[in-house]
């Protein structure tokens, strides 16, 4: 009985070996490679695994051929390495395979000091005469970005806006994510706030070595002194980084200086300058008030439904630039129009380049219809007493310069309004350096628009 079992086992073993050899000879073996991408930084040495599974070893080299090919991200494909028996041809400099490993079914390729040009999909094609098998995997070659901020600190008055620039340079591949976050302990704030909606991101620029540069610009305009000490963070996400890179800038909010009533104190006594200033303001206010009353009387005689030309005339255009103009970076220029009743007011912004014979229209703003037609002293209309009324954004399409205009209306004194607006520019140094920004204000009290020019100096 025991001899029968031994005989049966021997027969089963012979059949199994026959079937195994048949499967191998018939090509029932495979090539396996990494399913997940292989990650490496430029300059590192990399081995791309490729194994021959299911074939008995040692292999006879004269029956084995291995071809390594690389498909680049732009779909271009070329041969990297060829092994035929004892003959080896390396198209990629210094790449190699070990014959001792190949005999044992290891067809891995060694690539020293990988470069951006090595990034792509690698295919390992193995022939064990007469059968061929292949597999593929991805090698991701990356370069870590370098991140710099324009300044670790920024000081801004609540009347101004400055920009913070986050430069991300020398990275590969091109895909990168830049986020701006604000961390605040100020009153009414709750920790972290995302600021992506207000940022300006340039198009990636490719360097000669294949890496990329990109710049993100964040406008910072504090609303109150409570924002003093807030921290703005530029956070960068890239496939070369295990964790995000972030750099911080701390905000210092400067106390606003009085714009229209300068008060100078010396030895706790009001100086002559202060007395003169208050007298001047009082006389100006009295004059405007009397003019408003006379205008109101005329309107009462003519009826409320009639239009009037007795509005106060705009008197002065003041430009303020709180930050330097930088090539291809979003910057802000502020313009104040003083002593203005905004009814039927049109503000137009032009630019005149040095070599252009005529100025070119960039953007314009009209006061909303209906404002000021209820009564003569329209500047007392409560719809206009907020610091921000109906902000609108205009963009120039035909002059090839990124321009935005956001108007504000604010009451300075009773019956005296100031129209302020911000012009956001993303200038080109070659085209706009030395150009003039021209602002014109059209008002019913003026036969011709009042205007002012602002020369652009771009770094």
């Amino acid at each position: 009985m025991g001899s029968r079992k031994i005989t049966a086992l021997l027969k089963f073993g012979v059949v199994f070996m026959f079937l195994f050899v048949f499967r191998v000879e018939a090509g029932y073996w495979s090539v396996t490679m990494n399913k997940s991408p292989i990650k490496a930084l430029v300059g590192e040495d990399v081995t791309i695994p490729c194994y021959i599974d299911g074939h008995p070893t040692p292999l006879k080299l004269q029956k084995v051929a291995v071809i390594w090919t690389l498909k680049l991200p732009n779909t271009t494909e070329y041969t990297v390495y060829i092994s035929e028996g004892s003959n080896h041809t390396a198209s990629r400099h210094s790449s190699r395979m070990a014959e001792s490993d190949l005999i044992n079914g290891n067809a891995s390729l060694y690539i020293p000091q990988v470069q951006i040009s090595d990034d792509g999909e690698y295919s390992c094609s193995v022939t064990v005469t007469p059968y061929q098998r292949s597999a593929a995997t991805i090698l991701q070659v990356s370069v870590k970005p370098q991140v710099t901020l324009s300044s670790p600190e920024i000081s801004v008055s609540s009347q101004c806006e400055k920009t913070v620039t986050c430069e991300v340079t020398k990275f590969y591949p091109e895909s990168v994510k830049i986020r701006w976050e604000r961390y605040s302990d100020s009153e009414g704030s709750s920790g972290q706030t995302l600021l992506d909606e207000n940022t300006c991101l340039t198009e990636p620029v490719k360097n000669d070595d294949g890496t990329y540069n990109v710049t993100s610009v964040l406008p910072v305009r504090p609303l109150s002194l409570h924002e003093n000490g807030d921290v703005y963070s530029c956070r960068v996400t890239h496939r070369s980084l295990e964790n995000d890179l972030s750099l911080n800038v701390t905000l210092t909010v400067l106390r606003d200086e009085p714009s229209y009533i300068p008060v100078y104190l010396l030895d706790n006594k009001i100086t002559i300058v202060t007395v003169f200033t208050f007298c001047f303001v009082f006389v100006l206010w009295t004059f405007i008030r009397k003019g408003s009353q006379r205008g109101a009387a005329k309107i009462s005689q003519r009826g409320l439904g009639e239009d009037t030309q007795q509005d106060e005339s705009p008197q002065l255009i003041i430009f303020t630039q709180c930050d330097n103009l930088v090539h291809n970076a979003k910057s802000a220029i502020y313009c104040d129009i003083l002593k203005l009743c905004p009814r039927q007011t049109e503000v137009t912004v032009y630019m005149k380049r040095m070599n252009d014979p005529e100025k070119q229209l960039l953007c314009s703003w009209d006061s909303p219809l209906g404002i000021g037609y209820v009564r003569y002293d329209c500047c007392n209309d409560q719809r206009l007493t907020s610091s921000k009324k109906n902000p609108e954004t205009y963009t120039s399409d035909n002059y090839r310069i990124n321009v935005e205009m956001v108007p504000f209306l604010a009451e300075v004194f009773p019956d005296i309004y100031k129209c302020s607006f911000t012009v956001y520019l993303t200038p080109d140094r070659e085209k706009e350096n030395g150009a003039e920004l021209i602002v014109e204000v059209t008002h019913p009290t003026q036969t011709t628009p009042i205007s002012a020019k602002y020369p652009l100096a771009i770094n």
Side-chain angles (χ1 to χ4, degrees), residues 188-331:
S189 299
S190 56
Q192 177 182 345
T193 305
L194 294 177
L195 306 172
D196 294 341
E197 292 183 359
N198 297 324
T199 60
C200 174
L201 185 66
T202 64
E203 292 294 327
V205 177
K206 191 173 184 178
N207 300 313
D208 293 338
D209 61 358
T211 61
Y212 292 87
N213 300 338
V214 70
T215 300
S216 180
V217 181
L218 173 71
V220 177
R221 187 172 191 175
L223 300 178
S224 71
L225 293 174
H226 294 295
E227 297 181 31
N228 187 59
D230 285 1
V231 175
Y232 293 84
S233 178
C234 175
R235 186 174 296 274
V236 178
T237 303
H238 191 255
R239 85 175 186 190
S240 64
L241 304 171
E242 294 182 4
N243 300 303
D244 292 349
L245 274 177
S246 62
L247 292 180
N248 298 334
V249 56
T250 303
L251 172 65
T252 299
V253 181
L254 303 176
R255 187 176 299 274
D256 294 338
E257 296 295 333
S259 300
Y260 302 100
I261 308 180
V263 178
Y264 300 92
L265 299 180
L266 180 63
D267 297 333
N268 297 323
K269 296 181 181 180
I270 301 179
T271 65
I272 297 177
V273 176
T274 305
V275 175
F276 175 79
T277 302
F278 275 107
C279 290
F280 173 78
V281 173
F282 177 76
V283 172
L284 177 62
W285 181 83
T286 303
F287 175 78
I288 296 172
R289 193 65 176 178
K290 289 181 179 180
S292 299
Q293 293 172 354
R294 289 195 299 269
K298 291 181 180 179
I299 284 191
S300 64
Q301 295 173 0
R302 294 188 303 176
L304 294 177
E306 269 186 62
D307 192 7
T308 177
Q309 298 298 321
Q310 300 298 321
D311 297 333
E312 292 297 340
S313 302
Q315 288 190 341
L316 186 62
I317 300 176
I318 301 176
F319 289 102
T320 304
Q321 181 181 326
C322 298
D323 207 355
N324 293 329
L325 296 179
V326 180
H327 173 68
N328 277 341
K330 188 175 181 180
S331 303

Side-chain angles (χ1 to χ4, degrees), residues 363-418:
C363 49
S364 63
W365 173 78
D366 292 323
S367 60
L369 294 177
I371 290 181
Y373 286 90
V374 178
R375 60 180 185 270
Y376 171 74
D377 53 340
C378 59
C379 291
N380 283 329
D381 192 328
Q382 294 301 311
R383 292 176 299 171
L384 298 179
T385 56
S386 62
S387 60
K388 186 175 182 180
K389 176 66 178 177
N390 295 332
E392 299 181 50
T393 300
Y394 301 84
T395 304
S396 171
D397 295 325
N398 57 351
Y399 204 47
R400 298 182 180 179
I401 178 173
N402 184 6
V403 177
E404 298 175 7
M405 176 182 174
V406 181
F408 297 84
L409 294 172
E411 189 175 31
V412 181
F413 297 112
D415 298 340
I416 302 177
Y417 259 71
K418 176 179 73 171

Side-chain angles (χ1 to χ4, degrees), residues 167-179:
E167 293 186 351
V168 185
T169 59
K170 308 293 288 184
F171 61 89
Y172 180 87
E174 178 182 354
S175 178
V176 66
K177 183 178 181 180
I178 303 176
R179 303 191 309 276

Side-chain angles (χ1 to χ4, degrees), residues 146-160:
Q146 301 175 16
V147 183
T148 56
L149 282 178
S150 54
S151 175
E153 298 180 353
I154 184 172
S155 300
V156 190
S157 168
S158 59
Q159 297 296 322
C160 292

